[in-house]
Amino acid sequence: MADRVVPWNNLPTDLLEAVGKRLKTKTDVSRFRAICRSWRSSVLPFDQKQPRFPIRIMMKFPFPVNCFFLTITEDTVYHLVPPPNINSDDSASTSSTRGWVVRLREGESGEPSMLHPLSSSFHIKRLPKSVFPKLINLLEFRVFELAKTYTMYHSDHSVSSYRVAISLSPDWPAIMVVAAGKLYHCKLGPDIEMCTRVDITSEVFEDVICFEGKFYAVCHNGTAVVVDPSLEMTLIASPISPDHGSSVHCIKNLVQSLGEIILVERYPSRMKQRRLFPVKFRVYKLNAVERKWVEMEELKPENLYSFSVPAGDFPGCQRSCIYFSDPYFPGLFIRKKI
């Protein structure tokens, strides 16, 4: 006898709940809940499962004794893919077929604001008419969530240079901050939490990310550690040699890409003996077994910034490239081949 076909709006509740637990983004939860009443009642709205941003934390440095507040904002980077022939205007047809990358931030009032995808401070007031259609109906678009990024602000609304990573896991909702070269931790919750120092080493930390429910931090010399929910630190990578004996300090950033941890070293442009040395990057992949960084001669078919995307999904991007903003010219964005 043939198997009985169950209508999609009459699936077992336990099956719907099991699927709902695997939905990690607001976009996926919204799509799931939009199917029908039974699907909607089986999963809570995404906002009820996650903390509301912006959130505030408190930090205290021992020397000098100084207690201050910081505000953390959350940005979501989306890929909007329109249906074919959404815009007959030839000037916008190319962009319309491949879609756009947009970065949205939700304020305290709930109103979203749009930023440049590669900047946490470059706000976009108007969309260029030559690229975007007159009307964007999101019901007609396919929406993919690419990444979440977090930015810290001081009480005077200036952008902080501190690095922050957030774990949204229900098993360990937490915040990890790199401030003044030290690693700090606090709980993620509705109340203002005081950050406490995690490390007791003399290492100078530069960046931290959350990956697979744990925090990974890298030091100025390339030493990397992983911090588990018990706040135990474990060495996962030894120091790396400097760039051919160069004494120029480089900026280190951690990125997760295709299930791996990538370290990006950025050497700033500089003048030496009336000669301009342009910005240079070195990229490494973590070899967890041998506990070392392995330099990559080229990236896999994707691009890196604070997040990575497959270059094949974005015809306007070139593979094995890093896109970044110029620190001295906030509106200038640069592509660099690895």
Side-chain angles (χ1 to χ4, degrees):
M1 184 176 65
D3 295 337
R4 183 171 63 93
V5 178
V6 179
W8 53 265
N9 60 345
N10 196 28
L11 295 177
T13 303
D14 56 346
L15 177 59
L16 294 175
E17 292 177 350
V19 174
K21 291 179 180 179
R22 288 165 172 78
L23 303 177
K24 302 301 183 182
T25 68
K26 184 176 182 179
T27 302
D28 290 341
V29 172
S30 300
R31 284 175 171 171
F32 185 91
R33 287 173 49 83
I35 298 299
C36 63
R37 181 178 298 178
S38 61
W39 288 40
R40 183 164 53 253
S41 61
S42 64
V43 177
L44 290 174
F46 190 81
D47 290 341
Q48 295 185 18
K49 299 166 56 178
Q50 301 292 342
R52 294 280 295 181
F53 287 86
I55 59 178
R56 299 182 72 194
I57 61 173
M58 187 186 305
M59 297 197 67
K60 183 178 181 180
F61 288 165
F63 302 106
V65 178
N66 186 20
C67 190
F68 56 94
F69 293 94
L70 290 163
T71 300
I72 304 175
T73 61
E74 179 188 66
D75 298 349
T76 305
V77 183
Y78 295 99
H79 181 201
L80 304 183
V81 181
N85 303 322
I86 189 174
N87 195 323
S88 60
D89 186 356
D90 293 338
S91 62
S93 59
T94 302
S95 297
S96 296
T97 55
R98 69 192 183 209
W100 306 277
V101 177
V102 298
R103 181 173 183 159
L104 298 180
R105 176 182 299 170
E106 187 173 314
E108 295 184 6
S109 63
E111 284 292 324
S113 58
M114 181 178 291
L115 300 93
H116 192 284
L118 303 184
S119 173
S120 61
S121 57
F122 188 78
H123 288 260
I124 297 176
K125 302 299 183 182
R126 293 181 179 181
L127 297 176
K129 296 180 180 180
S130 61
V131 177
F132 286 85
K134 296 180 180 179
L135 177 64
I136 299 180
N137 185 353
L138 292 182
L139 295 177
E140 299 177 345
F141 282 66
R142 288 182 294 160
V143 182
F144 301 93
E145 186 173 310
L146 298 178
K148 287 187 179 294
T149 63
Y150 301 95
T151 307
M152 304 188 75
Y153 292 86
H154 294 287
S155 56
D156 61 357
H157 304 292
S158 61
V159 178
S160 174
S161 61
Y162 302 156
R163 306 308 301 266
V164 59
I166 294 181
S167 169
L168 300 175
S169 170
D171 300 325
W172 189 26
I175 301 173
M176 199 73 69
V177 178
V178 173
K182 303 304 177 184
L183 204 57
Y184 294 83
H185 164 269
C186 71
K187 296 179 180 179
L188 177 62
D191 301 323
I192 299 177
E193 300 285 348
M194 171 68 81
C195 289
T196 57
R197 185 173 167 182
V198 176
D199 66 293
I200 55 175
T201 67
S202 59
E203 297 286 0
V204 178
F205 288 92
E206 286 204 12
D207 197 17
V208 61
I209 62 171
C210 182
F211 178 71
E212 295 183 346
K214 297 179 181 180
F215 290 101
Y216 291 77
V218 65
C219 303
H220 75 291
N221 62 358
T223 301
V225 298
V226 58
V227 184
D228 61 27
S230 65
L231 299 183
E232 290 290 329
M233 297 178 58
T234 304
L235 179 71
I236 58 169
S238 302
I240 55 180
S241 59
D243 182 30
H244 305 295
S246 172
S247 60
V248 177
H249 175 71
C250 64
I251 301 171
K252 290 180 171 61
N253 294 98
L254 293 173
V255 183
Q256 54 176 305
S257 173
L258 298 178
E260 296 180 318
I261 296 180
I262 305 297
L263 171 64
V264 181
E265 287 186 336
R266 174 177 172 178
Y267 292 82
S269 59
R270 66 191 191 279
M271 291 292 296
K272 185 177 181 180
Q273 296 179 351
R274 296 183 179 182
R275 179 183 174 188
L276 176 63
F277 290 81
V279 174
K280 183 174 66 173
F281 290 92
R282 296 178 71 179
V283 182
Y284 303 84
K285 179 175 66 175
L286 176 64
N287 184 329
V289 176
E290 300 183 13
R291 295 187 178 184
K292 67 178 183 179
W293 295 108
V294 180
E295 187 168 4
M296 304 171 64
E297 294 184 1
E298 68 172 2
L299 301 176
K300 293 180 180 180
E302 57 191 78
N303 306 78
L304 293 176
Y305 179 66
S306 56
F307 56 92
S308 65
V309 297
D313 292 346
F314 302 91
C317 295
Q318 294 185 10
R319 60 174 294 172
S320 196
C321 288
I322 293 177
Y323 290 76
F324 62 99
S325 58
D326 190 297
Y328 303 106
F329 301 94
L332 179 61
F333 302 93
I334 307 169
R335 180 186 67 214
K336 183 73 174 180
K337 185 79 172 176
I338 296 301

